[in-house]
Amino acid sequence: MNEDGNRRGDGDGPRPERTAPRLRKRIPSLARRHRERVPLRVRFRRTRGRRLRRLGYAFLTLVALLCAAAVVAYHLTPIPKPHPETVTQSTVFLDSGGAYLGRRGPVDRQDVRLSAVPRHVQDAVIAAENRSFRTDSGISPRAIARATLATLTGDDPQGGSTITQQYVKNALLSPERSLSRKAREALVAIKLDRTRGKDEILEGYLNTVYFGRGSAGIQSAARNYFGVDAKSLTVAQGAALASIVNIPSYYEKAGSDPKVTTKLENRWEWVLDAMAASGSITDKQRAEARFPAFRFYPPGETEGQRQYLIDFAAKEAADRLGITEDQLASGGYSVTTTFDLALQDSATQLVQDHPGGGKGVRLHTAVVGMVPGDGAVRLLYGGSDYARQPFNDAVSGAVEAGTALEPFGELEAGEPLRKLLRTTAPTPLNLASAYATVAANGRYATPYTVARITREGRTVYRARPDVRRVLDEKEALVAGELSGAGPTPVAVAAGSAEAKVFATDGAGGGITRRTVWTTGYDDRLALTVALFADRAGKKKGTTLPAQLPNEPSPTAFA
């Protein structure tokens, strides 16, 4: 009804109190049916742009964060100083002609300037290890990704680092294998490449990379494999050393193991082909290259015998420089000695061909050769086996003089010869210096074994012979005639250098003797050979003099 009390008809208008609830019930159901009617692909298509934008923003944010982290890490990562063991250098010893005798020091390394390494050797290493070295940024992203994947999956460790990375790993960082160290290696390599020249990096690499045979660096490798300095390496030798870097502990046996030698030769061919393809060597050089001959490895007995020479020269060199022998060994010096290596090895072979001795008796042989009027010691054979007997018989062995110094007995000699003549048991070195005085017409020369010492190409010591007159010429002539150890007067008059004689005598009783010595000289060399024997004493570690064996005859052997 309306306000007037009349009933409304059906067409009198809506009834709000009844239609509102119905509408509220119908609207959600209509919206639900509407949503259900929109296909999923449509909705995805409608929102795809918005989702792609969000994904892009997230990706760009992640990239920006990673780049920012890399930049921060780059600036916060310093270039470390080289490890102490990578800057420690050994001291090498050379004979009078520059031939390699051996070394002293904790590490067999001697740094050289890149300018002292032939360009074809540099190019060989680049061809073998990192052909993009001259143009890359210090890292190889592909190699880093490969190494990272191998680490994450547990596969075998992967190599392929650039030369810059290898230098960082060898000289600046620890050798551990981890993602964090690999990341730091990459950062340092990039920073090194941006702040250092390529030549400086290559020089550092060549002076620290390991070549096998205990050789750290190209200079030591050249000497240990071929007996030459790095500056003298040929194209073939340089390519061989570059090939060795890949597996140095395996390839170090090249020349003595046929299987290793064959495998290395194949890699050597590959390196040379790469050099020819890049224009580092000409086609003619490639065609003429022949696989080089290597020094035998491990070293033989004659090389072990050289330690007697190095011992004596090292002590003298340290004295000349006013430093300790330990400081000398790690100082990177190059000591040129007075020794003649060919003469030394020849004498060693001769002695080893006639071992002598007998049951319970050990025969000692000492040989000294010296330049009269100069004092340079050319030959110093101190024993047959340094490993068993480091005692040097040539400089420390006591010879029972007997008649060895008798020719000087009535002469008024000056010092230091006078003191030497009063010695009851002179060393073979003393005997040689005495007769060298006679050979030099009465001029005594102090024996020396160090001719020159250099460091980083600069000469820090040069020998000056200490010569003084201790006999006048007449007394020297008398001593020579009494000894019979020099050229005969007829030979001198004839000017024959070959006509000289040796005086031989000894000490002891009976047919055999405890000591036999022989000496001879001309104007070029005074040579003394001394033989003596010993046997084990009753107390452990002691020895007693023994009779020289009858066979071979001591006199004939001397």
Side-chain angles (χ1 to χ4, degrees), residues 357-543:
K359 186 176 181 180
V361 175
R362 184 172 60 171
L363 178 66
H364 295 257
T365 304
V367 186
V368 179
M370 185 185 304
V371 178
D374 181 277
V377 178
R378 294 282 182 247
L379 172 61
L380 193 72
Y381 180 89
S384 60
D385 189 349
Y386 183 87
R388 289 189 303 171
Q389 178 200 302
F391 181 84
N392 191 330
D393 288 323
V395 299
S396 302
V399 177
E400 294 183 50
T403 57
L405 300 175
E406 190 174 278
F408 301 91
E410 302 300 325
L411 304 178
E412 292 294 330
E415 295 293 356
L417 182 59
R418 181 184 303 170
K419 181 179 179 179
L420 187 155
L421 298 176
R422 291 197 298 264
T423 305
T424 57
T427 65
L429 181 62
N430 287 340
L431 283 179
S433 63
Y435 282 92
T437 301
V438 178
N441 296 319
R443 291 179 295 116
Y444 176 87
T446 302
Y448 69 97
T449 63
V450 176
R452 185 166 60 102
I453 304 174
T454 62
R455 190 182 194 188
E456 298 178 350
R458 182 172 59 90
T459 299
V460 295
Y461 170 80
R462 187 181 296 277
R464 292 179 176 82
D466 179 13
V467 183
R468 68 195 72 177
R469 178 165 292 282
V470 296
L471 297 172
D472 60 35
E473 293 187 8
K474 182 179 179 180
E475 289 175 321
L477 182 60
V478 170
E481 290 179 348
L482 291 175
S483 70
T488 63
V490 175
V492 173
S496 173
E498 299 298 326
K500 58 179 179 292
V501 296
F502 281 82
T504 302
D505 212 326
I511 298 175
T512 57
R513 293 168 170 172
R514 290 191 299 271
T515 300
V516 167
W517 59 268
T518 185
T519 189
Y521 60 82
D522 59 15
D523 58 351
R524 296 174 301 170
L525 191 71
L527 184 67
T528 293
V529 179
L531 304 176
F532 48 96
D534 62 26
R535 55 184 175 83
K538 293 182 179 181
K539 293 183 178 181
K540 186 178 180 180
T542 63
T543 59

Side-chain angles (χ1 to χ4, degrees), residues 99-276:
Y100 181 65
L101 280 177
R103 70 172 181 89
R104 280 291 166 82
V107 181
D108 191 359
R109 173 188 293 109
Q110 276 221 319
D111 290 350
V112 291
R113 297 288 186 187
L114 189 64
S115 58
V117 181
R119 182 65 184 225
H120 57 256
V121 177
Q122 301 175 35
D123 290 338
V125 173
I126 292 173
E129 292 298 303
N130 178 197
R131 297 179 185 179
S132 64
F133 169 74
R134 298 286 184 188
T135 57
D136 64 34
S137 62
I139 63 170
S140 170
R142 181 179 299 177
I144 293 176
R146 187 170 60 245
T148 302
L149 181 62
T151 302
L152 292 174
T153 59
D155 290 341
D156 293 334
Q158 297 292 311
S161 299
T162 65
I163 282 177
T164 306
Q165 286 177 269
Q166 290 183 55
Y167 173 59
V168 170
K169 179 177 65 176
N170 294 338
L172 307 181
L173 298 180
S174 63
E176 65 175 314
R177 294 182 179 274
S178 66
L179 286 177
S180 60
R181 194 210 59 79
K182 195 71 178 176
R184 189 178 179 211
E185 174 190 302
L187 288 173
V188 174
I190 294 172
K191 201 166 193 175
L192 198 68
D193 188 80
R194 291 173 62 88
T195 57
R196 310 280 175 84
K198 289 289 187 180
D199 283 351
E200 185 178 352
I201 294 172
L202 184 60
E203 179 180 300
Y205 174 78
L206 289 174
N207 282 322
T208 54
V209 67
Y210 184 64
F211 285 90
R213 298 195 179 187
S215 307
I218 189 70
Q219 176 75 338
S220 297
R223 286 172 172 161
N224 286 334
Y225 281 94
F226 302 113
V228 300
D229 287 331
K231 64 182 179 182
S232 302
L233 288 168
T234 64
V235 170
Q237 291 171 337
L241 290 182
S243 303
I244 287 171
V245 173
N246 179 245
I247 321 176
S249 59
Y250 177 78
Y251 288 132
E252 68 183 4
K253 300 180 183 65
S256 55
D257 186 316
K259 182 179 178 181
V260 173
T261 304
T262 300
K263 187 172 181 178
L264 179 62
E265 186 171 1
N266 292 334
R267 182 169 173 80
W268 173 81
E269 296 274 5
W270 174 76
V271 170
L272 285 177
D273 288 343
M275 294 176 69

